[in-house]
Amino acid sequence: MSKTTPGPTADGTPVPPGEEELGAAGSQLSTAPAETAVPGSFGGSRAPGLAGRLAWTGRELLGWARWFWRQLTSMRVALLLLFLLSLGAVPGSLIPQEGTDALKVEEFKEAHRTLGPVYDKLGLFHVYSSVWFSAVYILLFISLIGCIVPRTWQFIGQLRGRPPGAPRRLTRLPAYTTWRTAASPQEVREAALRVLGQRRFRAHVAGDAVAAEKGYLREVGNLVFHFALIVMLVAFAWGQLYKTEGNKLVVEGDGFANTLIQYDDFKSGSLFENDDLVPFSFTLKEFTGTYERTGPQRGTPRVFEADVTYSVGADGKERKATISPNHPLKIGNARVYLVSHGYAPTVTVRDGKGDVVYRQAVPLLPMDGNITSQGAIKVLDGYRNAKGESEQLGFSAFFVPTFAGAGQGTMFSQFPALDFPVLALTGFHGDLGVDSGLPQNVYQLDTKNPKLKQFKDDKGEIVRARLLPGETMTLPDGAGSITFEKDIKEWAGFQVVQQSGNGWALAGAVFAIAGLAASLFVQRRRVWVRAVEGADGVTVVEMAGLGRTESARVPEELGDLAALVHDKAPARTDPDPASDSDPASDSDPASDPDPAPDREPDADTPVPAEGAEKK
């Protein structure tokens, strides 16, 4: 019998001795693309003249483009881009971002005069919208698509085909066993088909052997993992482009409608349009907060929820809901989260004639965990001083829900609940500067404004007062008064988030984990069962297995399968008549009938499984 001369592989390297015997049996256990060497010149020989130069240039450009595409779509480059994407997200977590908190960005630039301009040029203050982050993101997206599409078609082709036939020498495979049986070759092959089918192998008869394959779930998991990554990337990009996020402070009894002018601050993606906002409105009926009274957890919130009534659309039916930190209100694509809480003391301001010019619950911002709060009360219209001149009033307010008591040396709250509320006020009059056209914080007074003066008494001392609920501070020179009413309301801070693609991102994450688990724990393997009639008329059974990588599971599984086939076609136990007449046959292995007549004497060298390390 003539021997087959091994040919070179696709990259031009010779096939190691013995591996050519596997042929198609050891191929296509994976759809991973073959590694390509660094290219040389793709243009070949250059013909003379302009036409030859143009043709050579075209071939060269096309060759380099193909090489670059193969590198971009390789798994190595995809992993590198994924690592760069993760690395690029680090400064986005550590450095203040303009899209999240522009004030902190300005504070960082003021505190770091050298690093600030450098970070700004590198786009580190807006990492996720920077050019370099977007470039890595897009390249990763292209790499995954370019890698998955051809592998998917290749895998579909493998599913539509049949497991390859048995190699000529099964003894070269890493897992091998053989025995002789009285059953006919046809009976052995039928028994093998039944056993392999029961173990969920795809099996068929190819020549004198049964070829079977199992473990396609490994490649399915690999493809599902990469498809899931693409879904997650698309969902993330879609969500960022159409995302909206706004904050609104609502006092008990007040309401909110989901329109741009209603927000205290608002951020959105680049493709957002006003019509994308979900049409709804709600009213804060009551905020409930209870706190731990004793122990090391004193002051920790126990109940923290807002009772609201809401409606969807212009004519929607009014419904009730309770919003808590872990249970947002879900309306269509929007989520309403409860993020903060504070107090809004009700104050009444009267002019010198005793007429009410201002009565409102004024929200004050917390400064600590015990809700020590501060803010400003601004009377912009309707007030006239004792001379009948129109003025504006302003009061710096400092509120504590639980006062430590006079003479205790502190004005900070001792507990977040309304146990002993006290409001400290300092008054100003004149022009608050709200009509200057410059932006102004509604919770602060611009005390540096030269047109704004503090109230002072006859002795030239600043007029200030510490009021209990129901008490009044009288302004000097008949300027009026301000009363701290007993009605102390609470306010809640809500964050309204509208982001598309969250469901897709979650589904992608779940499928990515499932696919990764399948690709790591499922092994693709092949099994062959050859049954041929020996020279003495006895059937010789050979079984061999091959996995994508070296693994102890393949020999163990082959042993289990061989035991099941052996039960159907047991080994012969009767003595060989030839052994009685020829004693030398017991000591000379060469005298035994050859179970595979075409096996060569040097065929006992095993061939490693695909992917195993070769020396």
Side-chain angles (χ1 to χ4, degrees):
M1 181 176 293
S2 61
K3 297 177 64 176
T4 303
T5 302
T9 61
D11 59 359
T13 58
V15 177
E19 285 201 37
E20 72 278 359
E21 300 292 346
L22 293 178
S27 67
Q28 295 184 347
L29 275 172
S30 170
T31 58
E35 294 291 336
T36 56
V38 177
S41 174
F42 296 100
S45 300
R46 184 188 305 174
L50 179 61
R53 177 178 292 275
L54 293 176
W56 180 87
T57 302
R59 292 194 302 269
E60 192 75 7
L61 292 176
L62 181 61
W64 278 104
R66 288 176 175 174
W67 178 84
F68 177 78
W69 176 255
R70 287 195 297 268
Q71 300 308 307
L72 180 61
T73 55
S74 67
M75 192 59 61
R76 178 177 60 252
V77 173
L79 292 175
L80 177 61
L81 291 172
L82 189 60
F83 172 75
L84 291 177
L85 195 69
S86 303
L87 190 64
V90 173
S93 303
L94 301 179
I95 300 174
Q97 299 295 294
E98 292 178 349
T100 304
D101 196 334
L103 183 60
K104 285 188 177 180
V105 173
E106 295 301 324
E107 292 176 353
F108 185 92
K109 291 180 179 179
E110 289 292 331
H112 304 82
R113 296 299 182 92
T114 302
L115 284 178
V118 176
Y119 284 3
D120 199 10
K121 290 182 179 179
L122 294 177
L124 297 183
F125 293 122
H126 49 91
V127 169
Y128 303 111
S129 59
S130 62
V131 175
W132 58 269
F133 190 87
S134 301
V136 175
Y137 191 92
I138 293 173
L139 285 176
L140 177 61
F141 189 78
I142 295 174
S143 176
L144 288 174
I145 293 178
C147 179
I148 290 174
V149 171
R151 293 184 68 170
T152 301
W153 285 115
Q154 182 180 352
F155 183 62
I156 292 175
Q158 294 180 17
L159 291 179
R160 295 177 61 184
R162 288 185 170 188
R168 191 158 57 96
R169 293 178 174 86
L170 292 179
T171 54
R172 292 184 178 274
L173 300 184
Y176 174 83
T177 185
T178 183
W179 71 91
R180 294 156 57 88
T181 180
S184 67
Q186 181 65 24
E187 292 174 341
V188 173
R189 288 191 286 267
E190 290 177 356
L193 281 174
R194 288 193 299 271
V195 169
L196 292 170
Q198 292 171 356
R199 288 297 185 97
R200 297 189 299 277
F201 277 83
R202 293 178 60 208
H204 72 106
V205 177
D208 58 358
V210 174
E213 188 169 6
K214 188 179 182 181
Y216 291 95
L217 189 60
R218 177 190 182 95
E219 197 63 31
V220 171
N222 194 6
L223 295 175
V224 167
F225 172 74
H226 289 88
F227 272 117
L229 284 183
I230 292 178
V231 171
M232 292 174 63
L233 289 175
V234 172
F236 177 77
W238 186 271
Q240 291 301 312
L241 291 174
Y242 288 94
K243 179 181 179 180
T244 66
E245 181 180 304
N247 295 289
K248 179 63 178 179
L249 186 151
V250 183
V251 180
E252 287 178 328
D254 292 344
F256 166 78
N258 194 25
T259 59
L260 288 180
I261 59 175
Q262 289 276 306
Y263 283 99
D264 296 331
D265 61 84
F266 184 83
K267 299 187 293 290
S268 64
S270 57
L271 298 183
F272 162 77
E273 296 181 358
N274 294 349
D275 294 338
D276 294 334
L277 288 175
V278 178
F280 70 90
S281 61
F282 67 85
T283 300
L284 176 60
K285 293 298 184 180
E286 183 182 10
F287 180 88
T288 303
T290 61
Y291 308 90
E292 188 68 39
R293 289 282 177 179
T294 58
Q297 299 295 323
R298 184 176 184 272
T300 303
R302 290 303 177 213
V303 177
F304 201 76
E305 58 188 25
D307 295 325
V308 301
T309 58
Y310 71 97
S311 60
V312 181
D315 303 319
K317 182 181 178 181
E318 195 171 79
R319 305 174 185 176
K320 294 182 180 181
T322 299
I323 306 175
S324 60
N326 295 324
H327 297 86
L329 175 62
K330 301 177 182 179
I331 306 175
N333 224 11
R335 301 290 184 271
V336 183
Y337 296 91
L338 177 62
V339 294
S340 59
H341 157 257
Y343 293 103
T346 302
V347 296
T348 301
V349 179
R350 293 178 173 86
D351 60 15
K353 297 181 180 180
D355 296 331
V356 176
V357 296
Y358 182 90
R359 180 181 175 84
Q360 189 171 325
V362 182
L364 305 178
L365 300 182
M367 300 170 54
D368 56 27
N370 287 326
I371 318 185
T372 302
S373 308
Q374 66 177 357
I377 302 170
K378 299 181 180 182
V379 182
L380 305 179
D381 301 309
Y383 172 77
R384 291 183 180 273
N385 58 22
K387 299 178 181 179
E389 297 173 346
S390 178
E391 276 190 324
Q392 294 176 338
L393 294 180
F395 298 89
S396 293
F398 197 88
F399 176 78
V400 289
T402 301
F403 184 44
Q408 297 299 317
T410 180
M411 187 59 188
F412 287 92
S413 177
Q414 304 302 301
F415 194 74
L418 289 172
D419 292 345
F420 188 7
V422 171
L423 178 65
L425 297 172
T426 302
F428 297 81
H429 65 98
D431 185 0
L432 297 179
V434 294
D435 300 325
S436 62
L438 298 177
Q440 191 177 101
N441 193 330
V442 296
Y443 300 103
Q444 292 180 351
L445 291 177
D446 184 10
T447 56
K448 297 181 180 180
N449 181 3
K451 297 181 180 180
L452 191 63
K453 301 178 181 180
Q454 280 187 308
F455 282 109
K456 296 183 179 181
D457 58 16
D458 296 338
K459 298 179 181 181
E461 296 181 356
I462 297 174
V463 176
R464 55 170 57 95
R466 196 160 54 197
L467 306 178
L468 297 175
E471 295 183 343
T472 299
M473 181 178 78
T474 302
L475 302 176
D477 301 326
S481 64
I482 179 170
T483 301
F484 177 25
E485 304 291 348
K486 295 182 179 180
D487 181 19
I488 302 175
K489 295 186 177 182
E490 300 186 55
W491 59 261
F494 297 96
Q495 184 179 68
V496 182
V497 178
Q498 188 171 322
Q499 184 171 4
S500 303
N502 286 343
W504 286 100
L506 177 61
V510 172
F511 278 99
I513 295 174
L516 183 61
S519 64
L520 291 177
F521 297 108
V522 177
Q523 185 180 17
R524 191 170 172 187
R525 61 271 193 202
R526 290 170 180 162
V527 172
W528 293 274
V529 181
R530 174 175 286 149
V532 295
E533 186 175 322
D536 58 353
V538 179
T539 301
V540 178
V541 182
E542 290 182 287
M543 291 187 66
L546 177 66
R548 183 169 179 262
T549 57
E550 292 280 2
S551 173
R553 294 175 57 188
V554 175
E556 291 176 359
E557 186 175 33
L558 183 69
D560 295 339
L561 294 172
L564 295 175
V565 176
H566 186 273
D567 291 341
K568 307 292 183 181
R572 280 190 57 174
T573 56
D574 56 323
D576 188 354
S579 62
D580 297 334
S581 59
D582 188 4
S585 62
D586 292 336
S587 57
D588 186 6
S591 63
D592 289 340
D594 189 359
D598 58 349
R599 183 179 302 141
E600 297 181 2
D602 62 346
D604 57 349
T605 303
V607 175
E610 180 184 342
E613 182 179 357
K614 299 178 176 58
K615 297 182 180 179

